[in-house]
């Protein structure tokens, strides 16, 4: 039985240190500020504070999906070592990067006919995508085969729940995700929209909540409604945040009070690919729960 690597793109919003600790490999998206391109390499090339300040100062942010050539280079490193590959991709509801990964797979299967290359459309984003990748790394550590790990990912990816809010709509407006009028009114009235990722992996606005304190409470209520085993949830919880660590910590504090059996809670910085669109002020919460059906 061949060894295999658990692979993802950098939009899984973990950290470089954490991926090395878990034996996860990743390929980087790219982002640019005022035309200067940077790797989204889990904040090795640039600190989040610098990127967000430059965005606030008016620099234009853009992102690029991982190219077919980048995937070919990334996969080839491991195929040449005689390893199979289980790669999880950012949701197709957000990016077309999974298509590039599939194209690279088709090209390399001809050159490496004895190797297995599995591509999973995670239907997930940010550290929710990361939580799925982390689970697959757990399965590998437990001795599961690549086929078993791949099947788990396909069978359970919609059980990975995402809820998030933003206290600053500036960059949602710039990116066209919120209209200028709605964004202006929202910022004026201190409205923090609550969104989730639906069963097709798309970002969907769900509720408009006035004040940060109320939306922090509401996002934890969503976990109470949807988490596996309710208040007896004993899995991992990941959060990601863009330059608003204290808000994420406030969510964590509430979770600790309501879910005493939680195995582990981690807060990660939102990566450059996702952060280039959200800007500062976004907190996202991820956990395992009821299957997404809408």
């Amino acid at each position: 039985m061949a060894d295999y690597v658990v692979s993802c793109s950098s939009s899984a919003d973990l950290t470089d240190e954490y991926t090395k600790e878990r034996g996860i490999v990743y390929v980087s998206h790219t982002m640019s500020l005022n035309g200067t391109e940077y790797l989204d390499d889990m904040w090795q090339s640039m600190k989040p504070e610098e990127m967000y300040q430059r965005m606030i100062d008016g620099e234009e942010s853009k992102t690029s999906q991982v190219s077919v050539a980048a995937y070919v280079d990334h996969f080839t490193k491991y195929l040449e070592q005689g390893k199979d590959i289980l790669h999880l991709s950012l949701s197709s509801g957000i990016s077309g990067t999974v298509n590039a990964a599939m194209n690279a797979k088709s090209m390399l299967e001809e050159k490496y006919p004895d190797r297995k290359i599995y591509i999973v459309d995670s239907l997930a984003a940010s550290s929710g995508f990361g939580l799925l990748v982390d689970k697959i790394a757990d399965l590998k550590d437990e001795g599961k085969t690549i086929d078993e790990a791949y099947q788990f990912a396909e069978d359970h990816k919609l059980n990975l729940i995402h809820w998030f809010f933003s206290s600053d709509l500036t960059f949602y407006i710039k990116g066209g995700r919120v209209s200028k009028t709605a964004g202006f009114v929202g910022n004026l009235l201190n409205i923090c929209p609550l969104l989730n990722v639906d069963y097709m992996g798309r970002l969907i606005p769900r509720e408009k909540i006035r004040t940060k304190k109320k939306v922090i409470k509401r996002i934890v209520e969503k976990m109470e409604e949807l988490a596996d085993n309710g208040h007896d949830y004993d899995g991992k919880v990941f959060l990601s945040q863009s330059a608003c660590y204290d808000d994420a910590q406030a969510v964590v504090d509430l979770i600790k009070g309501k879910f005493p059996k939680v195995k582990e809670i981690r807060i990660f910085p939102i990566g450059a690919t996702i952060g280039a669109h959200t800007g500062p002020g976004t907190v996202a919460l991820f956990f395992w729960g009821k299957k997404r059906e809408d």
Side-chain angles (χ1 to χ4, degrees):
M1 181 176 67
D3 189 14
Y4 65 99
V5 295
V6 177
S7 169
C8 63
S9 61
S10 57
S11 51
D13 289 357
L14 301 171
T15 63
D16 182 70
E17 179 182 19
Y18 190 74
T19 59
K20 286 182 170 65
E21 177 186 322
R22 297 304 328 273
I24 297 164
V25 300
Y26 68 90
V27 59
S28 292
H29 292 260
T30 56
M31 62 86 63
S32 66
L33 289 168
N34 272 11
T36 301
E37 193 168 271
Y38 302 89
L39 278 180
D40 175 3
D41 53 7
M42 298 190 179
W43 300 116
Q44 295 184 88
S45 298
M46 183 190 302
K47 297 300 182 185
E49 297 81 9
E50 178 187 349
M51 187 187 86
Y52 292 124
Q53 188 58 55
R54 290 172 65 176
M55 290 173 68
I56 290 167
D57 291 342
E59 293 194 33
E60 184 179 7
S61 59
K62 292 184 177 179
T63 58
S64 300
Q65 65 184 39
V66 184
S67 68
V68 175
Y71 275 121
V72 168
D73 289 345
H74 174 66
F75 292 157
T76 297
K77 285 187 294 185
Y78 304 103
L79 296 170
E80 288 186 343
Q81 296 172 22
K83 295 182 178 181
D84 296 333
I85 295 169
L86 175 49
H87 177 79
L88 297 95
S89 177
L90 177 64
S91 172
S92 59
I94 295 172
S95 168
T97 190
V98 67
N99 297 321
M102 291 298 293
N103 287 336
K105 164 186 162 77
S106 296
M107 293 167 62
L108 290 168
E109 281 178 331
E110 296 180 12
K111 187 175 181 181
Y112 299 92
D114 296 329
R115 298 272 62 80
K116 293 179 179 179
I117 307 172
Y118 287 130
I119 309 294
V120 176
D121 177 0
S122 73
L123 300 178
S126 191
S127 301
F129 172 20
L131 185 53
L132 178 61
V133 175
D134 181 78
K135 177 62 177 179
I136 300 307
D138 285 341
L139 295 178
K140 182 175 185 291
D141 289 346
E142 292 167 11
K144 300 297 185 185
T145 67
I146 188 172
D147 301 273
E148 290 171 323
Y150 169 73
Q151 197 59 54
F152 179 94
E154 290 293 352
D155 290 345
H156 296 282
K157 60 189 179 183
L158 288 179
N159 293 105
L160 201 291
I161 310 302
H162 309 53
W163 282 90
F164 63 102
F165 67 84
S166 180
S167 57
D168 185 345
L169 301 179
T170 302
F171 295 95
Y172 288 83
I173 297 166
K174 283 189 175 182
R177 288 171 172 78
V178 175
S179 72
K180 289 183 179 180
T181 301
F184 175 77
V185 172
N187 281 334
L188 186 67
L189 297 179
N190 200 19
I191 290 172
C192 300
L194 185 65
L195 307 90
N196 78 339
V197 172
D198 74 356
Y199 72 105
M200 295 179 68
R202 303 170 300 184
L203 307 181
I204 306 294
R206 297 295 187 180
E207 299 178 18
K208 297 177 182 178
I209 299 175
R210 196 168 180 181
T211 78
K212 188 190 297 183
K213 183 177 181 180
K214 289 181 180 177
V215 79
I216 287 172
K217 179 181 177 183
R218 183 63 177 142
I219 201 171
V220 177
E221 288 174 350
K222 287 295 182 183
M223 185 171 171
E224 292 179 279
E225 294 172 16
L226 299 170
D228 282 341
N229 301 317
H231 290 105
D232 288 328
Y233 179 81
D234 59 358
K236 295 181 183 181
V237 176
F238 283 3
L239 295 94
S240 57
Q241 53 79 31
S242 55
C244 53
Y245 184 90
D246 289 347
D247 295 339
Q249 185 60 52
V251 175
V252 169
D253 291 343
L254 282 179
I255 290 171
K256 286 181 176 178
K258 293 178 179 293
F259 298 89
K261 296 182 180 180
V262 163
K263 179 179 181 180
E264 180 181 332
I265 304 178
R266 288 181 180 266
I267 300 175
F268 295 98
I270 289 177
T273 298
I274 305 296
H277 298 284
T278 69
T282 293
V283 173
L285 170 63
F286 312 102
F287 53 90
W288 293 96
K290 298 176 183 177
K291 186 174 181 179
R292 286 178 265 158
E293 295 183 342
D294 63 359

